Amino acid sequence: MRYCGFSEFFHDSGIAFITSEGDIEFAAHGERYSGKKNDPELPDVLMNMIKKDDHTSFYEDYALRIKYKSYSIDENDFNPLLMNYKNPHLQGSIVSDVYVPHHVSHAAGGFYTRPWESKDDTVILTIDGAGEYQSACIYDSNFNILHEEIWPKSIGQVYTYFTRALGFRPLEEEYIVMGLAAYGNPIVGKEIEDVYHNIFSQIVPEDKRKDSRKKLIASLFGITVDKGFRKEDIAASVQYFAEREIMVLAKLARQYGSKLVYSGGCAQNVVVNSMIKPLFDDMWIPVAPTDAGSSLGAAAYSYGKATGRDRINWQGPYLGYDIKHNLNPKEVVDHLLEHTYCGIANGRAEFGPRALGNRSLIADVRFDIKDTVNAIKRRQEYRPFAPAILEEFASQYFEGPMNEYMQYTANALHDYKSVTHIDGTARVQIVKKDCKSVFRKVIEEYYERTGVPMLLNTSLNIRGMPIVNNEKGAADFEKRYNVKVF
């Protein structure tokens, strides 16, 4: 029997399967198969993978989601598909009525994949916009709630509001706001904090929530670009707010454990992650901390309950669709040295928001190639790119927290501008010697021929579109955007 978890109907759907031995058989985002960025629905090709003897779990208690649907700044954020939830795919499954609470799914996705064995010294922190009604939770290693934040008090939702106010897509482009923040000053950070604590922190009765939404929006409206502030300063201000408030929760979590599992949408804020890390002896963020990743969390939670085990076998993020062809690293580097950039679409697709070598657009860091790659991807010119570096050289080129999954920022100790943000930092991907991607061999080949042990690495997609998934997607990308894809 397998344990299947899935998430859909709000945003960023996903599905995952865990075997009875605790191996992750498959995990993928719905968007990679439908072609719709952050697709809230899972396409049939994924749902049809569910077998009749699978134990299936949904990533939240959808009855509570319906009950508390007004726990949102904007009612339009709520997907009406959930109101008519029938789930015809699961008829005939052994178990199809397991609904893991939203924040428990986030927590389980990290807890069961954590790299350390010990359990009692582990504390779990989850922060996002909102689940059924919670916006942040601290759990012990048995998933008992030690602390919770209830909507409308929501760090994630404040960040999402300003994402929208700045003209970006909410629940999708918050990371753009984070990047833009480095160009500004937090001149209204205190004002955002005041609104948060004076209005957002009030528990709102059911019959008052519509009025409360209007009050929240009106309060925040006075701090937006419509009042004459620079976008860069607004971005810096909401980032300042998020850093301060998330650190409050992180310090509270530290009182309950020395090793932190951190998940939820806010765990994608790499700047804050780097501030949290020194508080703990160990810190683990799952590669997919958002709702799509909660599919794996729901499956893992059910697996743990059924087996009594507190870990699954985490072997890395390459868990999706498999493009099977022999990639020659020498040919890739030949092309890089002549044309400065190319794509890689090979092996199993990465689970999570980051391309980590199997669905990547890579470039020669020795050139100031940032504007060129941003133009290819149809992104804003100020957007930074990540360096992927051989692990044995990482400390020579960067100082600070870094890992295999681009989840922290480190200070650059080099002059390669293509992989350094305006503030002198970089979201580093360490490529270890046992990396299961051919990407390691590509960087090794590049190093042998240039003396530089790193490449620019970004996802093989265009802004607003999912990362390339299969052979056809790779061929279409090459033809449409004139980028050689290996």
Side-chain angles (χ1 to χ4, degrees):
M1 182 178 70
R2 301 181 305 175
Y3 296 84
C4 169
F6 66 103
S7 60
E8 61 176 343
F9 297 134
F10 187 50
H11 68 99
D12 196 21
S13 61
I15 194 167
F17 296 89
I18 299 172
T19 69
S20 57
E21 293 77 29
D23 297 319
I24 305 171
E25 184 177 278
F26 179 86
H29 298 244
E31 66 171 27
R32 309 289 173 85
Y33 287 78
S34 70
K36 302 175 184 176
K37 184 67 174 176
N38 282 349
D39 195 343
E41 295 185 76
L42 283 169
D44 286 344
V45 66
L46 291 178
M47 290 301 284
N48 289 340
M49 290 181 179
I50 299 174
K51 300 175 182 178
K52 288 187 176 180
D53 61 347
D54 286 339
H55 179 297
T56 57
S57 303
F58 192 58
Y59 83 121
E60 65 177 26
D61 187 331
Y62 78 94
L64 280 179
R65 169 68 78 173
I66 292 171
K67 180 179 179 180
Y68 293 109
K69 65 181 184 296
S70 55
Y71 275 63
S72 172
I73 284 183
D74 185 351
E75 279 186 317
N76 294 326
D77 286 342
F78 189 79
N79 193 317
L81 290 169
L82 190 57
M83 299 295 290
N84 300 309
Y85 182 70
K86 302 296 184 185
N87 204 0
H89 301 279
L90 301 185
Q91 293 176 4
S93 293
I94 286 180
V95 179
S96 59
D97 59 352
V98 175
Y99 306 109
V100 181
H102 186 101
H103 277 264
V104 172
S105 294
H106 278 317
F111 179 76
Y112 286 97
T113 58
R114 72 191 189 280
W116 57 83
E117 292 186 13
S118 57
K119 173 182 173 180
D120 293 340
D121 55 355
T122 298
V123 62
I124 310 166
L125 172 63
T126 61
I127 310 175
D128 64 5
E132 295 86 357
Y133 59 92
Q134 298 159 315
S135 61
C137 289
I138 298 175
Y139 299 95
D140 66 15
S141 57
N142 294 311
F143 295 92
N144 297 310
I145 294 178
L146 304 173
H147 176 81
E148 63 181 353
E149 304 278 307
I150 306 299
W151 195 95
K153 188 176 184 182
S154 170
I155 299 167
Q157 206 144 52
V158 172
Y159 212 101
T160 289
Y161 171 79
F162 279 102
T163 299
R164 174 182 288 154
L166 289 167
F168 303 115
R169 290 187 284 265
L171 300 175
E172 181 180 336
E173 295 187 328
E174 281 77 2
Y175 61 92
I176 298 180
V177 176
M178 181 181 66
L180 184 60
Y183 291 83
N185 296 301
I187 58 175
V188 288
K190 186 64 169 61
E191 286 82 348
I192 296 174
E193 281 192 300
D194 289 344
V195 170
Y196 181 72
H197 288 289
N198 293 332
I199 300 176
F200 274 69
S201 298
Q202 300 172 13
I203 300 299
V204 182
E206 176 74 33
D207 60 345
K208 299 293 185 182
R209 286 188 194 136
K210 286 188 178 180
D211 290 340
S212 175
R213 255 193 306 273
K214 294 176 183 178
K215 187 177 182 181
L216 290 170
I217 293 172
S219 299
L220 291 172
F221 182 79
I223 311 172
T224 66
V225 289
D226 299 288
K227 296 299 180 181
F229 295 108
R230 295 171 63 240
K231 285 189 174 184
E232 295 84 351
D233 293 336
I234 293 294
S237 298
V238 72
Q239 176 65 26
Y240 168 88
F241 155 81
E243 291 170 5
R244 287 172 61 89
E245 296 302 326
I246 291 173
M247 286 299 289
V248 169
L249 292 173
K251 289 175 181 178
L252 179 59
R254 183 62 180 86
Q255 297 178 22
Y256 298 103
S258 61
K259 297 180 179 179
L260 178 69
V261 169
Y262 180 36
S263 191
C266 290
Q268 293 191 111
N269 194 308
V270 297
V271 176
V272 186
N273 294 349
S274 302
M275 298 170 66
I276 295 173
K277 198 173 190 305
L279 297 178
F280 294 86
D281 296 340
D282 277 301
M283 181 173 170
W284 172 252
I285 302 169
V287 295
T290 56
D291 284 6
S294 290
S295 60
L296 180 60
Y301 186 77
S302 292
Y303 170 84
K305 288 295 183 183
T307 64
R309 300 171 187 167
D310 62 25
R311 293 171 77 200
I312 58 176
N313 303 323
W314 176 252
Q315 298 294 325
Y318 308 104
L319 299 167
Y321 183 89
D322 195 1
I323 296 179
K324 298 178 180 179
H325 67 76
N326 293 322
L327 184 149
N328 187 331
K330 184 179 184 302
E331 292 179 358
V332 176
V333 175
D334 284 344
H335 188 88
L336 269 180
L337 296 182
E338 183 176 354
H339 300 281
T340 69
Y341 59 85
C342 66
I344 295 177
N346 185 69
R348 297 191 70 176
E350 300 91 339
F351 189 47
R354 310 291 186 203
L356 300 169
N358 282 10
R359 300 292 187 277
S360 289
L361 178 59
I362 62 175
D364 190 333
V365 297
R366 297 174 303 163
F367 298 91
D368 193 0
I369 195 74
K370 185 187 296 185
D371 289 348
T372 299
V373 180
N374 268 327
I376 292 171
K377 289 171 65 74
R378 312 298 194 263
R379 304 193 330 171
Q380 297 89 345
E381 291 183 359
Y382 58 79
R383 299 274 299 279
F385 290 107
I389 187 167
L390 301 176
E391 66 171 326
E392 56 267 37
F393 295 97
S395 62
Q396 297 177 30
Y397 286 79
F398 301 97
E399 182 180 49
M402 40 191 159
N403 69 359
E404 308 102 296
Y405 310 124
M406 302 183 186
Q407 292 172 323
Y408 302 99
T409 60
N411 294 316
L413 303 176
H414 58 77
D415 296 323
Y416 297 111
K417 296 180 180 179
S418 60
V419 290
T420 307
H421 199 24
I422 188 68
D423 59 1
T425 66
R427 191 184 68 224
V428 181
Q429 176 194 357
I430 291 177
V431 184
K432 294 190 172 182
K433 293 179 180 178
D434 62 353
C435 177
K436 295 182 180 300
S437 172
V438 71
F439 195 32
R440 168 79 193 193
K441 294 186 182 301
V442 171
I443 303 176
E444 286 176 340
E445 176 72 19
Y446 175 80
Y447 169 65
E448 286 296 321
R449 296 165 67 175
T450 66
V452 180
M454 66 179 170
L455 289 168
L456 180 154
N457 179 25
T458 185
S459 54
L460 190 61
N461 72 320
I462 301 302
R463 182 191 174 200
M465 296 295 293
I467 298 173
V468 164
N469 191 47
N470 55 24
E471 295 90 345
K472 184 180 184 302
D476 289 347
F477 190 96
E478 179 174 291
K479 182 178 180 180
R480 179 171 295 182
Y481 303 109
N482 195 30
V483 175
K484 175 64 178 176
V485 179
F486 291 89

